[in-house]
Amino acid sequence: MASRQQITEREMSGQAAEEVGEQAMGPAFIASAASVGLSWYYFFLRGERERGLFIGLWPPTILAFASYFNQRKMRQQLDMITQPGSTLKNAIDSMMGNR
């Protein structure tokens, strides 16, 4: 049976991970959708195909940067959860309530 501290840690880490995902992907998703719209505008409406293709390359780059920063934040949170001297397996087991 999991202790109260383990349950609290598990709830806090789950909430923190969801918040990091929402914070990082919200603006990135909006920016990538806007660049897709701008790309279509230049490609189809204005007839500037090269510019449309160039702008069409932005969404994957924007989402890749957002994913990188999201992973960095999650890594920092994982480092904060784990105490010095403990192994990663022990930290994950305590987060999951297996200890």
Side-chain angles (χ1 to χ4, degrees), residues 69-88:
F69 288 120
N70 192 13
Q71 289 176 8
R72 248 180 77 184
K73 285 182 184 178
M74 288 191 311
R75 179 62 187 184
Q76 289 172 352
Q77 287 181 347
L78 184 61
D79 288 342
M80 286 178 10
I81 291 172
T82 60
Q83 288 84 24
S86 67
T87 63
L88 184 61

Side-chain angles (χ1 to χ4, degrees), residues 17-77:
E18 290 175 8
E19 290 173 4
V20 167
E22 291 173 2
Q23 290 173 0
M25 295 307 282
F29 180 75
I30 292 170
S32 63
S35 66
V36 167
L38 187 63
S39 171
W40 287 351
Y41 170 75
Y42 277 113
F43 192 84
F44 292 114
L45 297 178
R46 301 244 352 227
E48 298 179 27
R49 295 183 185 270
E50 287 182 15
R51 185 175 295 204
L53 290 173
F54 174 71
I55 295 172
L57 295 174
W58 293 354
T61 306
I62 293 168
L63 294 174
F65 277 121
S67 176
Y68 169 73
F69 288 120
N70 192 13
Q71 289 176 8
R72 248 180 77 184
K73 285 182 184 178
M74 288 191 311
R75 179 62 187 184
Q76 289 172 352
Q77 287 181 347

Side-chain angles (χ1 to χ4, degrees), residues 3-21:
S3 69
R4 286 185 181 176
Q5 181 183 6
Q6 290 173 340
I7 292 172
T8 305
E9 287 177 1
R10 188 176 350 145
E11 289 173 358
M12 289 175 61
S13 64
Q15 291 171 353
E18 290 175 8
E19 290 173 4
V20 167

